[in-house]
Amino acid sequence: MKRMLMTSRYWVYALLAVTFMASCASSKKSASPHAYMTKQYKELKNVLNEAEVSIIRDSLKVIFPNNVLFASSSDELKPEIKPTFEHFADVLNKYNKTKILITGHTDSTGSSSYNRELSENRAKRAKDLLSEFKVNDDRMFTWGLADRHPIATNNTEEGKAKNRRVEFVILYEVKE
């Protein structure tokens, strides 16, 4: 079951990446999207101490743990995250050839409609804060995934805490 969940999660991310790339695609490509994304990855790794930053081909993934961003059952960002988001926004603004998908997640506690709304609101709050730091709204898209893609078990408090998160998928935008 766990393997199936992991596989389905990767398919969802792959589908999202293809969808975004298709929406951004043109007949011309930049000289080196990989080098561009690798450079951005290195900067994000240096700037974001509490986030998990990974590179997958020519896209980046940033996961902020819920305990850093939100109180339990809340979509209100903690005030102490603002300096980190300001640094995050600075890097996003510097590397403006990207689109950002912001996904909100919850644990399995609560009804599916409550979790869907909470995850959507978490993603929107993260987007709003990045907007305050001048990240262009046209580059950001939000999606609430509720409890559909857990990264840990929902049978323990520690696992639930890991599942309550916001993830950022940063994709290279091919421009004409």
Side-chain angles (χ1 to χ4, degrees):
M1 179 70 168
K2 184 176 179 180
R3 187 175 202 200
M4 189 168 74
L5 285 174
M6 294 292 287
T7 303
S8 67
R9 182 175 67 196
Y10 291 122
W11 278 108
V12 167
Y13 288 124
L15 180 61
L16 287 171
V18 168
T19 302
F20 272 115
M21 295 308 276
S23 72
C24 301
S26 71
S27 59
K28 299 178 185 176
K29 287 193 173 184
S30 174
S32 182
H34 182 72
Y36 184 87
M37 295 303 282
T38 299
K39 190 173 178 185
Q40 183 179 18
Y41 164 77
K42 288 177 182 175
E43 273 197 58
L44 287 171
K45 284 290 270 189
N46 288 331
V47 168
L48 303 176
N49 299 331
E50 299 197 38
E52 177 185 324
V53 182
S54 54
I55 188 166
I56 305 164
R57 297 187 189 203
D58 288 335
S59 67
L60 306 176
K61 185 174 181 180
V62 178
I63 301 175
F64 284 96
N66 182 62
N67 62 333
V68 173
L69 297 177
F70 304 100
S72 183
S73 296
S74 173
D75 64 2
E76 293 295 323
L77 286 160
K78 292 181 177 180
E80 58 267 22
I81 197 62
K82 284 190 175 191
T84 301
F85 260 53
E86 185 173 14
H87 296 304
F88 184 32
D90 288 344
V91 175
L92 292 174
N93 288 329
K94 182 177 179 180
Y95 295 90
N96 62 0
K97 294 180 184 177
T98 57
K99 296 282 188 182
I100 304 113
L101 173 65
I102 306 167
T103 59
H105 301 266
T106 66
D107 61 30
S108 61
T109 306
S111 70
S112 60
S113 63
Y114 175 79
N115 284 337
R116 185 179 59 251
E117 183 177 344
L118 179 60
S119 66
E120 288 171 2
N121 289 338
R122 285 179 173 170
K124 287 176 187 172
R125 296 285 187 172
K127 177 184 176 184
D128 291 344
L129 186 53
L130 288 174
S131 292
E132 284 181 33
F133 295 117
K134 309 295 186 231
V135 177
N136 187 327
D137 280 347
D138 293 340
R139 294 176 56 204
M140 298 184 287
F141 305 88
T142 61
W143 191 15
L145 292 172
D147 63 346
R148 290 184 289 197
H149 300 286
I151 57 174
T153 181
N154 277 302
N155 296 330
T156 65
E157 288 306 312
E158 182 180 288
K160 287 180 181 183
K162 287 181 180 180
N163 290 331
R164 296 186 301 260
R165 67 196 187 280
V166 173
E167 297 183 3
F168 298 82
V169 178
I170 304 167
L171 303 163
Y172 188 82
E173 178 183 18
V174 179
K175 293 185 178 182
E176 292 185 44

